[in-house]
Amino acid sequence: MTASSPTITVVGAGLAGSEAALAAARLGVRVRLFEMRPVKMTPAHRTGNFAELVCSTSLGGEGEMQAKGLLQAELRSVGGAIVTAADASRVPAGNALAVDRDEFSARVTGAVREHPLIEVVPGEVGAVPEGIAVIATGPLTSDALAADLMRLTGSERLSFYDAAAPVIAYESINLDVAWRAGRYGQSADYLNCPFTKEEYLRFFAALEQARAHTPHDWEGLEFFEGCMPIEEIARRGVDTPRFGPMSPKGLDDPRTGRWPYAVAQLRQEDREGRMWSLVGFQTGLKWGDQKAVVQLIPGLENAEIVRYGVMHRNTYLNAPEVLDSTLQLRADRQKFVAGVLAGTEGYLESAATGWLAGTNAARLALGLAPLTPPAESMLGGLTRYLASANPQGFQPMNVNWALVPELPAPPPGPNGKVRKLGKREKRPPMFRRGLAAFMAWAGEEAGLPVTPPAVPQPEEDALPALR
Ligand SMILES: Cc1cc2nc3c(=O)[nH]c(=O)nc-3n(C[C@H](O)[C@H](O)[C@H](O)COP(=O)(O)OP(=O)(O)OC[C@H]3O[C@@H](n4cnc5c(N)ncnc54)[C@H](O)[C@@H]3O)c2cc1C
């Protein structure tokens, strides 16, 4: 390595930025890594360590049944720094990859500080840097940098609040009950779940009983009318939801020819129509209660929630309007964005997008084209989603199986009917297909050293991965 090796800048030494810096340095590129802690702290971090885990210590469920398990395996295959540190600081946690918080961030901090090609620069960055850069300043990006990002991307494309509604897997919606229509015969873009009065009152009672997540003091929850959580709307009276987001007006139920008592509407989230979000159902309910309430909606009795609703302080870009699947900003292709700021949710997703942004920024610095992983891989599915999701009301996304293509349908049975594959039948082959595609891409297209990872085999299905 010579002093004339190209240099890139990484801003933020959190989960995404630490991974990005190490991925770029591994390709022989010099990195100037800026981190404002401990000079300036965020409201959630407690230390000056890199990759500090601000809340839970879990990087998600493991094994072939888990979407996070596939992403972990992909990152292991290319020696991802975060997953390597997590494996080395693992604590027993059933079927999840959980870590000793202090040991984990000490390992990441050590790896970054000891790397000869990484120079750590303490202090806050107040503007988008010149030249090739990865911006990975996370959900609590400081105000000055956020303002400069808005200058670059447009002010309406940066959000400071996450008011997300649950997102449901299409295949789990009962289409004998939910029907496609728009209000007053307008374009049939919505799936509509009709309530009788009895069903609505049962749903409302459960909503009233459900427990909300208690916000941290610093979150200072102040709701705008337009993104009021459904449980707050319900607090205003039994009829308030059905005169608001659950209004049945203009929706003739084809089975009765009449407007139902109330309606829950779902809107398509991704291009393929495999994920649908509940319109006006942003919520801060605890996940168990949230699932129980959602499954009381007619047509969603067996709903698989691929992304739970959340209400919290968050800084993130409207990815489909500003980012390519290579994680480059369309407004300035020398700038890459990773982590929560890029519209992902979760520690592991932040690390994974950090790895891709760092790899692609280094490639650009070396005169090579930035790349997108294959659609069958979880990382490829995630970054393609970021670049192509519905920009209207875009909310950060965590990995889930609806991000990658389904398996081909099995041949019809003797009765001529095509049998629907169960989760246990289809997820392990989807896992193996995704990992094989990722490793082939990383080795052949990206030219990286690739090692087949050991895949943990949990005895039973893990619980849904923590955030
Ligand atoms: C309160 C809270 C709880 C959360 N709990 C969980 C959880 O339990 N599980 C989970 O998976 N996810 C959780 N998240 C989401 C979580 O933040 C991300 O999963 C992950 O930390 C994001 O990684 P990141 O690299 O994008 O951001 P971070 O890890 O936050 O890293 C961003 C870094 O940038 C630095 N920075 C910010 N602005 C500047 C600047 N201008 N100049 C220089 N440095 C700057 C910050 O100090 C920070 O070190 C939580 C988020 C919050 C806010």
Side-chain angles (χ1 to χ4, degrees), residues 11-17 34-37 40-42 44-45 49-58 68 123-126 136-145 216 218-219 312-314 338-341 344-351 466-467:
V11 189
L15 277 294
F34 291 81
E35 170 53 56
M36 68 179 188
R37 291 179 294 115
K40 178 174 178 179
M41 296 299 284
T42 78
H45 292 85
N49 286 343
F50 302 158
E52 180 182 331
L53 303 177
V54 284
C55 188
S56 123
T57 53
S58 169
K68 295 231 190 208
E124 179 185 359
V125 171
T137 42
L140 304 167
T141 294
S142 72
D143 294 346
L145 184 60
H216 296 267
W218 53 269
E219 284 182 295
H312 59 201
R313 165 88 199 274
N314 205 358
V340 163
L341 191 62
T344 65
E345 170 87 12
Y347 300 143
L348 193 69
E349 290 83 343
S350 296
L466 297 170
R467 303 169 29 143

Short mmCIF file of all heavy atoms in Angstrom, two decimals, residues 11-17 34-37 40-42 44-45 49-58 68 123-126 136-145 216 218-219 312-314 338-341 344-351 466-467, ligand 1:
data_model
loop_
_atom_site.label_atom_id
_atom_site.label_comp_id
_atom_site.label_asym_id
_atom_site.label_seq_id
_atom_site.Cartn_x
_atom_site.Cartn_y
_atom_site.Cartn_z
N VAL A 11 -18.59 8.97 7.56
CA VAL A 11 -19.08 9.80 8.67
C VAL A 11 -19.97 8.94 9.56
O VAL A 11 -20.99 8.40 9.10
CB VAL A 11 -19.87 11.03 8.16
CG1 VAL A 11 -20.16 11.97 9.34
CG2 VAL A 11 -19.12 11.75 7.07
N GLY A 12 -19.61 8.81 10.84
CA GLY A 12 -20.37 8.01 11.80
C GLY A 12 -19.73 6.66 12.00
O GLY A 12 -19.57 5.89 11.04
N ALA A 13 -19.31 6.36 13.25
CA ALA A 13 -18.72 5.04 13.54
C ALA A 13 -19.70 4.20 14.35
O ALA A 13 -19.38 3.65 15.39
CB ALA A 13 -17.40 5.20 14.28
N GLY A 14 -20.94 4.14 13.85
CA GLY A 14 -21.94 3.26 14.45
C GLY A 14 -21.84 1.89 13.80
O GLY A 14 -20.77 1.47 13.33
N LEU A 15 -22.98 1.17 13.74
CA LEU A 15 -22.99 -0.16 13.14
C LEU A 15 -22.62 -0.08 11.66
O LEU A 15 -21.80 -0.84 11.17
CB LEU A 15 -24.40 -0.78 13.27
CG LEU A 15 -24.80 -1.48 14.57
CD1 LEU A 15 -23.97 -2.72 14.77
CD2 LEU A 15 -24.72 -0.61 15.77
N ALA A 16 -23.23 0.87 10.94
CA ALA A 16 -23.01 0.96 9.49
C ALA A 16 -21.64 1.55 9.18
O ALA A 16 -20.91 1.02 8.33
CB ALA A 16 -24.11 1.81 8.85
N GLY A 17 -21.27 2.63 9.86
CA GLY A 17 -20.03 3.33 9.53
C GLY A 17 -18.80 2.50 9.85
O GLY A 17 -17.81 2.49 9.10
N PHE A 34 -14.96 9.78 10.64
CA PHE A 34 -15.34 10.84 11.59
C PHE A 34 -16.40 10.32 12.54
O PHE A 34 -17.40 9.74 12.10
CB PHE A 34 -15.91 12.05 10.84
CG PHE A 34 -14.88 12.80 10.04
CD1 PHE A 34 -14.50 12.34 8.78
CD2 PHE A 34 -14.29 13.94 10.54
CE1 PHE A 34 -13.54 13.03 8.03
CE2 PHE A 34 -13.34 14.63 9.80
CZ PHE A 34 -12.97 14.17 8.55
N GLU A 35 -16.19 10.54 13.83
CA GLU A 35 -17.20 10.15 14.84
C GLU A 35 -17.28 11.27 15.88
O GLU A 35 -16.25 11.68 16.42
CB GLU A 35 -16.85 8.82 15.49
CG GLU A 35 -17.69 8.44 16.70
CD GLU A 35 -19.21 8.47 16.45
OE1 GLU A 35 -19.69 7.80 15.53
OE2 GLU A 35 -19.92 9.19 17.20
N MET A 36 -18.50 11.71 16.17
CA MET A 36 -18.64 12.86 17.09
C MET A 36 -18.61 12.46 18.56
O MET A 36 -18.28 13.28 19.42
CB MET A 36 -19.90 13.65 16.76
CG MET A 36 -21.19 12.96 17.05
SD MET A 36 -22.56 14.06 16.62
CE MET A 36 -23.94 13.11 17.27
N ARG A 37 -19.00 11.19 18.86
CA ARG A 37 -18.93 10.78 20.27
C ARG A 37 -17.47 10.49 20.65
O ARG A 37 -16.73 9.99 19.80
CB ARG A 37 -19.77 9.51 20.49
CG ARG A 37 -21.23 9.72 20.38
CD ARG A 37 -22.00 8.42 20.58
NE ARG A 37 -21.74 7.45 19.53
CZ ARG A 37 -21.14 6.28 19.69
NH1 ARG A 37 -20.74 5.90 20.89
NH2 ARG A 37 -20.95 5.47 18.68
N LYS A 40 -19.28 14.94 21.26
CA LYS A 40 -20.70 15.33 21.31
C LYS A 40 -21.52 14.04 21.35
O LYS A 40 -21.39 13.21 20.44
CB LYS A 40 -21.05 16.16 20.08
CG LYS A 40 -22.51 16.57 20.03
CD LYS A 40 -22.80 17.52 18.89
CE LYS A 40 -24.29 17.84 18.89
NZ LYS A 40 -24.64 18.77 17.82
N MET A 41 -22.33 13.86 22.36
CA MET A 41 -23.10 12.62 22.51
C MET A 41 -24.46 12.75 21.81
O MET A 41 -24.93 13.85 21.53
CB MET A 41 -23.31 12.30 23.99
CG MET A 41 -22.05 12.01 24.76
SD MET A 41 -21.10 10.59 24.15
CE MET A 41 -22.09 9.22 24.78
N THR A 42 -25.09 11.61 21.52
CA THR A 42 -26.49 11.63 21.05
C THR A 42 -27.37 11.41 22.29
O THR A 42 -26.85 11.02 23.35
CB THR A 42 -26.77 10.49 20.05
OG1 THR A 42 -26.91 9.26 20.78
CG2 THR A 42 -25.66 10.34 19.01
N ALA A 44 -29.19 8.95 22.89
CA ALA A 44 -29.36 7.52 23.21
C ALA A 44 -28.05 6.81 23.55
O ALA A 44 -28.06 5.86 24.33
CB ALA A 44 -30.02 6.80 22.03
N HIS A 45 -26.94 7.23 22.94
CA HIS A 45 -25.68 6.54 23.21
C HIS A 45 -25.16 6.92 24.58
O HIS A 45 -25.40 8.01 25.09
CB HIS A 45 -24.64 6.89 22.13
CG HIS A 45 -24.96 6.35 20.77
ND1 HIS A 45 -25.79 7.00 19.88
CD2 HIS A 45 -24.56 5.21 20.15
CE1 HIS A 45 -25.89 6.28 18.76
NE2 HIS A 45 -25.15 5.18 18.90
N ASN A 49 -17.63 4.41 22.51
CA ASN A 49 -17.24 3.24 21.72
C ASN A 49 -17.94 3.22 20.37
O ASN A 49 -19.05 3.70 20.23
CB ASN A 49 -17.60 1.94 22.46
CG ASN A 49 -16.67 1.69 23.62
OD1 ASN A 49 -15.59 2.28 23.68
ND2 ASN A 49 -17.07 0.83 24.53
N PHE A 50 -17.28 2.59 19.41
CA PHE A 50 -17.89 2.45 18.09
C PHE A 50 -18.90 1.30 18.13
O PHE A 50 -18.79 0.38 18.94
CB PHE A 50 -16.81 2.16 17.04
CG PHE A 50 -15.74 3.23 16.97
CD1 PHE A 50 -14.50 2.95 16.43
CD2 PHE A 50 -15.99 4.52 17.44
CE1 PHE A 50 -13.51 3.93 16.36
CE2 PHE A 50 -15.00 5.51 17.36
CZ PHE A 50 -13.76 5.20 16.83
N ALA A 51 -19.87 1.36 17.20
CA ALA A 51 -20.90 0.32 17.10
C ALA A 51 -21.56 0.04 18.45
O ALA A 51 -21.77 -1.13 18.81
CB ALA A 51 -20.32 -0.96 16.49
N GLU A 52 -21.86 1.09 19.19
CA GLU A 52 -22.57 0.89 20.46
C GLU A 52 -24.01 0.44 20.18
O GLU A 52 -24.70 1.03 19.35
CB GLU A 52 -22.58 2.20 21.27
CG GLU A 52 -23.31 2.03 22.59
CD GLU A 52 -23.39 3.33 23.40
OE1 GLU A 52 -22.49 4.20 23.27
OE2 GLU A 52 -24.37 3.46 24.15
N LEU A 53 -24.45 -0.60 20.88
CA LEU A 53 -25.83 -1.06 20.75
C LEU A 53 -26.67 -0.26 21.74
O LEU A 53 -26.46 -0.37 22.95
CB LEU A 53 -25.92 -2.56 21.05
CG LEU A 53 -25.03 -3.47 20.18
CD1 LEU A 53 -25.16 -4.92 20.62
CD2 LEU A 53 -25.38 -3.32 18.71
N VAL A 54 -27.61 0.53 21.22
CA VAL A 54 -28.29 1.48 22.11
C VAL A 54 -29.42 0.84 22.92
O VAL A 54 -29.89 1.43 23.88
CB VAL A 54 -28.85 2.69 21.32
CG1 VAL A 54 -27.75 3.64 20.96
CG2 VAL A 54 -29.62 2.26 20.09
N CYS A 55 -29.88 -0.34 22.52
CA CYS A 55 -31.02 -0.90 23.26
C CYS A 55 -30.82 -2.41 23.42
O CYS A 55 -29.99 -2.83 24.21
CB CYS A 55 -32.30 -0.54 22.52
SG CYS A 55 -33.80 -0.95 23.40
N SER A 56 -31.54 -3.22 22.65
CA SER A 56 -31.40 -4.67 22.81
C SER A 56 -29.99 -5.10 22.40
O SER A 56 -29.24 -4.35 21.77
CB SER A 56 -32.46 -5.37 21.94
OG SER A 56 -31.90 -6.25 21.03
N THR A 57 -29.61 -6.31 22.79
CA THR A 57 -28.28 -6.81 22.42
C THR A 57 -28.40 -7.94 21.40
O THR A 57 -27.48 -8.74 21.23
CB THR A 57 -27.54 -7.35 23.66
OG1 THR A 57 -28.39 -8.29 24.30
CG2 THR A 57 -27.16 -6.24 24.61
N SER A 58 -29.54 -8.00 20.70
CA SER A 58 -29.75 -9.09 19.74
C SER A 58 -29.58 -8.60 18.31
O SER A 58 -30.11 -7.56 17.93
CB SER A 58 -31.15 -9.67 19.92
OG SER A 58 -31.44 -10.53 18.84
N LYS A 68 -33.14 -12.81 8.94
CA LYS A 68 -31.90 -12.26 9.51
C LYS A 68 -30.80 -13.32 9.47
O LYS A 68 -29.62 -12.99 9.35
CB LYS A 68 -32.11 -11.81 10.96
CG LYS A 68 -33.09 -10.66 11.08
CD LYS A 68 -32.56 -9.52 11.89
CE LYS A 68 -33.68 -8.53 12.16
NZ LYS A 68 -33.24 -7.17 12.35
N GLY A 123 -14.95 14.22 16.39
CA GLY A 123 -15.68 15.49 16.22
C GLY A 123 -16.85 15.38 15.26
O GLY A 123 -16.93 14.45 14.45
N GLU A 124 -17.72 16.37 15.38
CA GLU A 124 -18.95 16.39 14.57
C GLU A 124 -18.66 16.90 13.16
O GLU A 124 -17.93 17.87 13.00
CB GLU A 124 -19.97 17.32 15.26
CG GLU A 124 -21.27 17.44 14.50
CD GLU A 124 -22.21 18.47 15.14
OE1 GLU A 124 -21.84 19.06 16.18
OE2 GLU A 124 -23.29 18.66 14.57
N VAL A 125 -19.27 16.26 12.18
CA VAL A 125 -19.19 16.74 10.80
C VAL A 125 -20.47 17.55 10.54
O VAL A 125 -21.57 17.04 10.73
CB VAL A 125 -19.08 15.54 9.82
CG1 VAL A 125 -19.21 15.99 8.38
CG2 VAL A 125 -17.77 14.81 10.04
N GLY A 126 -20.30 18.79 10.11
CA GLY A 126 -21.47 19.68 9.98
C GLY A 126 -22.01 19.78 8.58
O GLY A 126 -23.04 20.39 8.36
N ALA A 136 -23.17 7.73 7.36
CA ALA A 136 -23.78 6.66 8.17
C ALA A 136 -23.99 7.18 9.58
O ALA A 136 -23.49 6.60 10.54
CB ALA A 136 -22.88 5.43 8.15
N THR A 137 -24.72 8.27 9.68
CA THR A 137 -24.84 8.96 10.96
C THR A 137 -26.07 8.54 11.76
O THR A 137 -26.30 9.08 12.85
CB THR A 137 -24.81 10.48 10.74
OG1 THR A 137 -25.61 10.79 9.60
CG2 THR A 137 -23.39 10.96 10.50
N GLY A 138 -26.86 7.62 11.20
CA GLY A 138 -27.85 6.94 12.01
C GLY A 138 -29.10 7.73 12.35
O GLY A 138 -29.33 8.84 11.87
N PRO A 139 -29.92 7.12 13.23
CA PRO A 139 -31.23 7.70 13.56
C PRO A 139 -31.13 9.02 14.31
O PRO A 139 -32.10 9.77 14.36
CB PRO A 139 -31.88 6.63 14.44
CG PRO A 139 -30.75 5.81 14.98
CD PRO A 139 -29.69 5.84 13.93
N LEU A 140 -29.97 9.29 14.90
CA LEU A 140 -29.81 10.51 15.68
C LEU A 140 -28.73 11.40 15.05
O LEU A 140 -27.93 12.02 15.75
CB LEU A 140 -29.50 10.14 17.14
CG LEU A 140 -30.57 9.22 17.76
CD1 LEU A 140 -30.09 8.61 19.06
CD2 LEU A 140 -31.88 9.95 17.95
N THR A 141 -28.74 11.45 13.74
CA THR A 141 -27.84 12.33 12.98
C THR A 141 -27.92 13.74 13.55
O THR A 141 -29.01 14.25 13.83
CB THR A 141 -28.30 12.33 11.49
OG1 THR A 141 -28.08 11.04 10.96
CG2 THR A 141 -27.55 13.36 10.66
N SER A 142 -26.74 14.38 13.71
CA SER A 142 -26.77 15.72 14.34
C SER A 142 -27.44 16.73 13.40
O SER A 142 -27.51 16.53 12.19
CB SER A 142 -25.35 16.16 14.69
OG SER A 142 -24.65 16.48 13.52
N ASP A 143 -27.94 17.81 14.00
CA ASP A 143 -28.81 18.75 13.27
C ASP A 143 -28.11 19.40 12.07
O ASP A 143 -28.70 19.54 11.01
CB ASP A 143 -29.31 19.85 14.21
CG ASP A 143 -30.22 19.28 15.28
OD1 ASP A 143 -30.66 18.12 15.10
OD2 ASP A 143 -30.49 19.97 16.28
N ALA A 144 -26.84 19.80 12.25
CA ALA A 144 -26.16 20.54 11.18
C ALA A 144 -26.01 19.65 9.94
O ALA A 144 -26.29 20.08 8.81
CB ALA A 144 -24.78 20.99 11.67
N LEU A 145 -25.62 18.40 10.15
CA LEU A 145 -25.45 17.51 9.00
C LEU A 145 -26.81 17.20 8.36
O LEU A 145 -26.92 17.14 7.13
CB LEU A 145 -24.75 16.21 9.44
CG LEU A 145 -24.43 15.23 8.32
CD1 LEU A 145 -23.51 15.86 7.27
CD2 LEU A 145 -23.77 13.97 8.87
N HIS A 216 -38.86 6.36 25.58
CA HIS A 216 -37.79 6.92 26.40
C HIS A 216 -38.09 8.40 26.59
O HIS A 216 -38.67 9.04 25.72
CB HIS A 216 -36.46 6.78 25.67
CG HIS A 216 -36.05 5.36 25.45
ND1 HIS A 216 -35.24 4.69 26.32
CD2 HIS A 216 -36.35 4.48 24.48
CE1 HIS A 216 -35.05 3.45 25.88
NE2 HIS A 216 -35.71 3.30 24.76
N TRP A 218 -36.34 10.99 26.25
CA TRP A 218 -35.82 11.89 25.24
C TRP A 218 -36.59 11.84 23.93
O TRP A 218 -36.42 12.67 23.06
CB TRP A 218 -34.35 11.59 24.97
CG TRP A 218 -34.09 10.16 24.64
CD1 TRP A 218 -33.77 9.16 25.50
CD2 TRP A 218 -34.18 9.55 23.36
NE1 TRP A 218 -33.64 7.98 24.84
CE2 TRP A 218 -33.89 8.20 23.52
CE3 TRP A 218 -34.48 10.03 22.09
CZ2 TRP A 218 -33.89 7.31 22.47
CZ3 TRP A 218 -34.49 9.14 21.04
CH2 TRP A 218 -34.20 7.80 21.24
N GLU A 219 -37.46 10.85 23.80
CA GLU A 219 -38.15 10.74 22.52
C GLU A 219 -39.21 11.84 22.36
O GLU A 219 -39.57 12.18 21.25
CB GLU A 219 -38.78 9.37 22.35
CG GLU A 219 -37.73 8.32 22.00
CD GLU A 219 -38.32 6.95 21.78
OE1 GLU A 219 -38.86 6.39 22.73
OE2 GLU A 219 -38.25 6.45 20.67
N HIS A 312 -41.10 6.34 16.88
CA HIS A 312 -39.95 6.85 17.60
C HIS A 312 -39.16 7.87 16.79
O HIS A 312 -39.36 8.01 15.59
CB HIS A 312 -39.04 5.73 18.14
CG HIS A 312 -38.48 4.82 17.09
ND1 HIS A 312 -38.01 3.58 17.38
CD2 HIS A 312 -38.31 4.97 15.78
CE1 HIS A 312 -37.59 2.99 16.28
NE2 HIS A 312 -37.76 3.83 15.29
N ARG A 313 -38.29 8.56 17.50
CA ARG A 313 -37.42 9.53 16.85
C ARG A 313 -36.51 8.77 15.89
O ARG A 313 -35.96 7.74 16.23
CB ARG A 313 -36.61 10.23 17.95
CG ARG A 313 -35.41 11.00 17.50
CD ARG A 313 -35.72 12.42 17.12
NE ARG A 313 -34.63 12.93 16.29
CZ ARG A 313 -33.51 13.47 16.76
NH1 ARG A 313 -33.37 13.62 18.05
NH2 ARG A 313 -32.56 13.88 15.95
N ASN A 314 -36.38 9.27 14.68
CA ASN A 314 -35.58 8.58 13.68
C ASN A 314 -35.23 9.59 12.58
O ASN A 314 -36.05 10.43 12.26
CB ASN A 314 -36.40 7.44 13.06
CG ASN A 314 -35.53 6.35 12.50
OD1 ASN A 314 -34.32 6.46 12.53
ND2 ASN A 314 -36.13 5.30 11.99
N ALA A 338 -25.70 4.74 4.30
CA ALA A 338 -25.87 3.40 4.87
C ALA A 338 -26.53 3.49 6.23
O ALA A 338 -26.55 4.55 6.87
CB ALA A 338 -24.51 2.71 4.99
N GLY A 339 -27.06 2.35 6.67
CA GLY A 339 -27.66 2.27 8.01
C GLY A 339 -29.07 2.82 8.02
O GLY A 339 -29.75 2.91 7.00
N VAL A 340 -29.48 3.23 9.21
CA VAL A 340 -30.85 3.73 9.39
C VAL A 340 -31.11 4.95 8.51
O VAL A 340 -32.20 5.13 7.97
CB VAL A 340 -31.08 4.04 10.88
CG1 VAL A 340 -32.28 4.93 11.08
CG2 VAL A 340 -31.24 2.74 11.67
N LEU A 341 -30.11 5.78 8.31
CA LEU A 341 -30.27 6.97 7.47
C LEU A 341 -30.67 6.60 6.04
O LEU A 341 -31.35 7.36 5.36
CB LEU A 341 -28.94 7.76 7.46
CG LEU A 341 -28.98 9.16 6.85
CD1 LEU A 341 -29.91 10.08 7.63
CD2 LEU A 341 -27.57 9.75 6.83
N THR A 344 -33.10 1.77 6.40
CA THR A 344 -33.18 0.41 6.93
C THR A 344 -33.57 0.50 8.39
O THR A 344 -33.57 1.57 9.00
CB THR A 344 -31.84 -0.33 6.84
OG1 THR A 344 -30.91 0.32 7.68
CG2 THR A 344 -31.32 -0.35 5.43
N GLU A 345 -33.84 -0.66 8.97
CA GLU A 345 -34.24 -0.73 10.38
C GLU A 345 -33.43 -1.88 10.98
O GLU A 345 -33.40 -2.96 10.40
CB GLU A 345 -35.75 -1.01 10.40
CG GLU A 345 -36.35 -1.37 11.71
CD GLU A 345 -36.76 -0.15 12.51
OE1 GLU A 345 -36.79 0.96 11.97
OE2 GLU A 345 -37.02 -0.34 13.70
N GLY A 346 -32.76 -1.63 12.10
CA GLY A 346 -32.10 -2.75 12.78
C GLY A 346 -30.58 -2.74 12.68
O GLY A 346 -30.00 -2.23 11.72
N TYR A 347 -29.94 -3.33 13.71
CA TYR A 347 -28.48 -3.38 13.78
C TYR A 347 -27.88 -4.11 12.58
O TYR A 347 -26.93 -3.64 11.96
CB TYR A 347 -28.03 -4.15 15.04
CG TYR A 347 -28.47 -3.60 16.36
CD1 TYR A 347 -28.82 -4.47 17.41
CD2 TYR A 347 -28.50 -2.23 16.63
CE1 TYR A 347 -29.18 -3.99 18.65
CE2 TYR A 347 -28.88 -1.75 17.87
CZ TYR A 347 -29.22 -2.63 18.88
OH TYR A 347 -29.58 -2.17 20.11
N LEU A 348 -28.43 -5.30 12.30
CA LEU A 348 -27.83 -6.14 11.27
C LEU A 348 -27.98 -5.51 9.88
O LEU A 348 -27.04 -5.52 9.07
CB LEU A 348 -28.48 -7.52 11.30
CG LEU A 348 -27.78 -8.59 10.51
CD1 LEU A 348 -26.46 -8.96 11.17
CD2 LEU A 348 -28.66 -9.83 10.39
N GLU A 349 -29.16 -4.95 9.62
CA GLU A 349 -29.40 -4.29 8.34
C GLU A 349 -28.46 -3.10 8.19
O GLU A 349 -27.99 -2.79 7.08
CB GLU A 349 -30.86 -3.83 8.26
CG GLU A 349 -31.89 -4.95 8.13
CD GLU A 349 -32.28 -5.60 9.46
OE1 GLU A 349 -31.55 -5.44 10.47
OE2 GLU A 349 -33.33 -6.27 9.49
N SER A 350 -28.20 -2.41 9.30
CA SER A 350 -27.28 -1.26 9.24
C SER A 350 -25.88 -1.74 8.89
O SER A 350 -25.20 -1.17 8.03
CB SER A 350 -27.27 -0.52 10.58
OG SER A 350 -28.55 0.00 10.83
N ALA A 351 -25.45 -2.81 9.56
CA ALA A 351 -24.12 -3.36 9.25
C ALA A 351 -24.03 -3.79 7.79
O ALA A 351 -23.05 -3.51 7.10
CB ALA A 351 -23.82 -4.54 10.17
N LEU A 466 -35.84 -9.80 16.95
CA LEU A 466 -36.02 -8.50 17.57
C LEU A 466 -35.62 -7.44 16.57
O LEU A 466 -34.91 -7.71 15.64
CB LEU A 466 -35.14 -8.40 18.82
CG LEU A 466 -35.49 -9.40 19.91
CD1 LEU A 466 -34.43 -9.38 20.99
CD2 LEU A 466 -36.85 -9.07 20.51
N ARG A 467 -36.02 -6.17 16.78
CA ARG A 467 -35.78 -5.09 15.84
C ARG A 467 -34.38 -5.13 15.24
O ARG A 467 -33.45 -5.43 15.88
CB ARG A 467 -35.91 -3.74 16.53
CG ARG A 467 -37.17 -3.50 17.16
CD ARG A 467 -37.12 -2.28 18.02
NE ARG A 467 -36.14 -1.34 17.49
CZ ARG A 467 -36.30 -0.02 17.49
NH1 ARG A 467 -37.40 0.48 17.95
NH2 ARG A 467 -35.36 0.78 17.05
C1 LIG B 1 -33.39 4.56 21.17
C2 LIG B 1 -33.15 3.61 20.07
C3 LIG B 1 -33.23 2.26 20.31
C4 LIG B 1 -32.98 1.35 19.30
N1 LIG B 1 -33.04 0.02 19.59
C5 LIG B 1 -32.72 -0.88 18.64
C6 LIG B 1 -32.70 -2.28 18.94
O1 LIG B 1 -32.97 -2.69 20.05
N2 LIG B 1 -32.36 -3.15 17.96
C7 LIG B 1 -32.04 -2.72 16.71
O2 LIG B 1 -31.73 -3.56 15.85
N3 LIG B 1 -32.06 -1.40 16.38
C8 LIG B 1 -32.39 -0.47 17.32
N4 LIG B 1 -32.42 0.86 17.01
C9 LIG B 1 -32.14 1.29 15.69
C10 LIG B 1 -30.60 1.44 15.75
O3 LIG B 1 -30.22 2.73 16.00
C11 LIG B 1 -29.96 0.90 14.57
O4 LIG B 1 -30.35 -0.42 14.39
C12 LIG B 1 -28.44 1.01 14.52
O5 LIG B 1 -27.78 1.52 15.65
C13 LIG B 1 -28.26 1.93 13.41
O6 LIG B 1 -26.97 1.88 12.97
P1 LIG B 1 -26.41 3.15 12.26
O7 LIG B 1 -25.00 2.87 11.96
O8 LIG B 1 -27.31 3.57 11.15
O9 LIG B 1 -26.52 4.30 13.37
P2 LIG B 1 -25.71 4.39 14.80
O10 LIG B 1 -25.32 3.05 15.26
O11 LIG B 1 -26.56 5.25 15.63
O12 LIG B 1 -24.40 5.17 14.35
C14 LIG B 1 -24.39 6.49 13.90
C15 LIG B 1 -23.14 7.17 14.43
O13 LIG B 1 -23.00 8.44 13.82
C16 LIG B 1 -22.56 9.38 14.80
N5 LIG B 1 -22.95 10.70 14.30
C17 LIG B 1 -24.19 11.24 14.19
N6 LIG B 1 -24.12 12.47 13.61
C18 LIG B 1 -22.80 12.71 13.38
C19 LIG B 1 -22.09 13.81 12.81
N7 LIG B 1 -22.71 14.86 12.33
N8 LIG B 1 -20.73 13.73 12.74
C20 LIG B 1 -20.04 12.63 13.20
N9 LIG B 1 -20.68 11.58 13.76
C21 LIG B 1 -22.05 11.60 13.83
C22 LIG B 1 -23.27 8.90 16.05
O14 LIG B 1 -22.59 9.37 17.21
C23 LIG B 1 -23.21 7.40 15.92
O15 LIG B 1 -22.05 6.85 16.52
C24 LIG B 1 -32.67 1.80 18.01
C25 LIG B 1 -32.59 3.17 17.74
C26 LIG B 1 -32.83 4.07 18.76
C27 LIG B 1 -32.73 5.54 18.46
#
